[in-house]
Amino acid sequence: MTETATDLDTFRTETRAWLEANCPPQMRTPASSDADICWGGKRFTYQSEAQRLWLQRMGERGWTVPTWPRPYGGGGLTHEEAAILREEMARLHCRVPLQSFGIWMLGPALLKHGSEAQKRHYLPQIARGEIRWCQGYSEPNAGSDLASLATKAELEDDHFLVSGQKIWTSYADEADWMFCLVRTDASKKHTGISFILIDMTTPGVSTRPIKLISGKSPFCETFFDNVKVPIGNLVGELNQGWTIAKYLLTHEREMIGAIGERSAPPPVGRSAVEGIGKDQSGRLDDPVLRAEIARFEIDEAAFRAWLTLVGEQARAGEAHPAISSALKYYGAELNKRRWELMIAAGGADALEWEGTHSNEGAAARAWLRTKGNSIEGGTSEVQLNVVAKRILGLPGA
Ligand SMILES: Cc1cc2nc3c(=O)[nH]c(=O)nc-3n(C[C@H](O)[C@H](O)[C@H](O)COP(=O)(O)OP(=O)(O)OC[C@H]3O[C@@H](n4cnc5c(N)ncnc54)[C@H](O)[C@@H]3O)c2cc1C
């Protein structure tokens, strides 16, 4: 059913009123650090009652996943209504109530490839932030060449027996469940892979954190020692997991590409003025940095317009199937440029690593974290290969 302008106006008025009444004041300010971001899940410690309440209220309404169907915990909104919700949240500076691999990656894959029982079981829990997920794709010898993965899952009666190792598993030590690629037929490469869901509390699963240059340990090595996984946790057909894996990756790449937009970072120009000051004519008092920031802000505006265009093309079924690689590449480079400029604008202060003045080195750590943007979800070199071959039609090597 198409909506009239009046329907949408009514929806906007009601949404505005609901947000005014239900978004706690503390949730109308940007998150001040990583610890302030809500990931949900059974092991998550809420930073405040406001954070817990905001997730609960948005989850009950299905507005953590506004366009998912209602029977699966979504809001059942049209794309026009979801755009209005985003605008109204931005107007009030409401935080996104939940960051979630379940929403960004597994949810879309389950909606397309999951059984009805899997959709009804997992999707509402993802929408309400009750399960936190991690992604078990990469292995020590399978990164860019992911289909070389060797973690073995042997089918025995009504379960798989899983053995092997994953690496770079973001938040494996905090997640409740993992969506995982396993080898179920060693005689074939791409058609010997299956996509399964593993409860991280199953005996035989263990994790070991890996430290990053930002000083944090957001990811782990994950080990499987004869882990029993019920056959009902297989998504799609046996040995057909590669199709699901690739579909999920397009969503992951779009999510990483849009990272700068989604995380609502402080505007670079305003931060630079705060750090450096203005000249007599009211402009940033550093002509070289000023020109670089202007170039960045123009590129960022163009990228935002491109994201909107691709979103519309995708809804009309007209987006290029490999466009997520181009978005991922450009968005990752843009986010790295943003934080290079933030550090340049902040001077020596921006490099402070500890202490309350810098919020425990929040800017320096965010800058170092962006280095991983061009690796996670597939490296920049690999995305450029995809763009060259599949979008530009250039011959392969
Ligand atoms: C912050 C972060 C979070 C991550 N989170 C997760 C996670 O949650 N779950 C998960 O499964 N994985 C995760 N990863 C792993 C990530 O997906 C891999 O690191 C990535 O796919 C690259 O694989 P690799 O590290 O094995 O590098 P390799 O594949 O060994 O690549 C090494 C270098 O060779 C280049 N290269 C490789 N092949 C080609 C080619 N064909 N053409 C040109 N150059 C090439 C690469 O670009 C790279 O520079 C994460 C990584 C990072 C940095």
Side-chain angles (χ1 to χ4, degrees):
M1 192 183 77
T2 49
E3 295 149 305
T4 63
T6 326
D7 290 338
L8 291 178
D9 284 346
T10 308
F11 178 77
R12 185 182 294 278
T13 311
E14 288 171 1
T15 300
R16 187 173 292 184
W18 188 87
L19 290 173
E20 298 266 14
N22 288 284
C23 182
Q26 300 98 303
M27 294 296 107
R28 301 182 195 189
T29 55
S32 59
S33 68
D34 277 358
D36 220 10
I37 290 171
C38 181
W39 287 94
K42 295 184 176 62
R43 307 196 223 175
F44 186 71
T45 309
Y46 291 95
Q47 293 295 301
S48 63
E49 178 56 15
Q51 190 187 48
R52 193 196 61 75
L53 206 57
W54 181 222
L55 171 59
Q56 185 192 322
R57 288 174 176 167
M58 288 290 275
E60 279 169 358
R61 219 173 160 81
W63 282 4
T64 50
V65 281
T67 58
W68 287 11
R70 279 182 191 277
Y72 306 144
L77 301 189
T78 62
H79 288 286
E80 288 80 6
E81 288 169 336
I84 290 175
L85 173 61
R86 274 197 304 278
E87 284 165 19
E88 290 302 315
M89 285 177 68
R91 199 184 66 85
L92 267 188
H93 306 291
C94 303
R95 283 189 205 171
V96 174
L98 178 65
Q99 308 267 3
S100 155
F101 287 9
I103 293 177
W104 301 325
M105 295 189 240
L106 180 63
L110 280 182
L111 280 166
K112 191 168 165 74
H113 297 279
S115 67
E116 187 56 26
Q118 287 168 338
K119 289 182 202 175
R120 288 192 181 260
H121 180 70
Y122 293 110
L123 293 175
Q125 296 185 70
I126 292 173
R128 293 191 298 264
E130 290 166 2
I131 313 179
R132 184 167 182 182
W133 292 87
C134 63
Q135 177 188 32
Y137 273 35
S138 306
E139 297 184 5
N141 291 313
S144 301
D145 184 15
L146 183 59
S148 295
L149 62 94
T151 293
K152 193 170 60 173
E154 286 174 315
L155 191 53
E156 294 191 350
D157 305 325
D158 60 349
H159 64 268
F160 294 101
L161 216 49
V162 180
S163 300
Q165 187 199 338
K166 297 287 172 182
I167 196 166
W168 318 125
T169 328
S170 298
Y171 309 116
D173 52 346
E174 295 172 33
D176 305 304
W177 280 71
M178 170 187 278
F179 47 93
C180 186
L181 296 179
V182 288
R183 180 144 307 281
T184 37
D185 184 345
S187 69
K188 303 195 181 85
K189 194 172 180 184
H190 296 84
T191 51
I193 293 172
S194 298
F195 188 105
I196 61 173
L197 308 177
I198 303 179
D199 181 339
M200 296 295 278
T201 61
T202 318
V205 180
S206 59
T207 59
R208 190 159 63 197
I210 307 169
K211 212 166 201 175
L212 281 185
I213 48 172
S214 65
K216 300 196 172 157
S217 298
F219 55 26
C220 299
E221 293 174 284
T222 308
F223 302 93
F224 304 99
D225 182 10
N226 284 320
V227 177
K228 228 172 146 179
V229 179
I231 194 163
N233 294 14
L234 171 72
V235 181
E237 302 284 314
L238 190 70
N239 293 324
Q240 299 303 313
W242 186 245
T243 310
I244 307 174
K246 280 191 301 180
Y247 181 73
L248 186 145
L249 273 176
T250 62
H251 286 271
E252 179 179 12
R253 287 174 181 162
E254 280 165 24
M255 175 274 289
I256 296 170
I259 197 162
E261 303 310 307
R262 200 186 50 254
S263 57
V268 182
R270 200 179 68 204
S271 302
V273 166
E274 280 165 12
I276 295 170
K278 295 180 183 174
D279 65 13
Q280 283 176 339
S281 54
R283 301 179 306 178
L284 178 67
D285 196 9
D286 181 330
V288 175
L289 195 57
R290 196 165 68 221
E292 281 181 29
I293 291 176
R295 249 193 309 275
F296 169 79
E297 291 191 340
I298 290 166
D299 290 346
E300 192 190 30
F303 183 60
R304 231 180 285 130
W306 186 29
L307 280 177
T308 307
L309 175 70
V310 171
E312 282 166 11
Q313 287 171 335
R315 282 192 283 285
E318 289 166 3
H320 191 290
I323 201 70
S324 60
S325 286
L327 291 173
K328 199 261 155 173
Y329 170 75
Y330 196 76
E333 294 306 313
L334 206 58
N335 203 39
K336 288 196 302 185
R337 263 171 76 195
R338 174 199 318 281
W339 282 97
E340 289 288 337
L341 289 169
M342 292 288 272
I343 293 294
D349 270 4
L351 292 175
E352 188 178 284
W353 197 241
E354 288 166 337
T356 46
H357 174 66
S358 63
N359 195 10
E360 301 305 329
R365 290 172 199 271
W367 166 60
L368 288 172
R369 175 62 184 81
T370 63
K371 307 290 177 195
N373 293 162
S374 42
I375 304 173
E376 59 198 313
T379 67
S380 284
E381 290 79 8
V382 168
Q383 305 319 308
L384 288 175
N385 280 347
V386 174
V387 170
K389 286 185 205 160
R390 295 191 52 204
I391 300 182
L392 302 177
L394 300 177

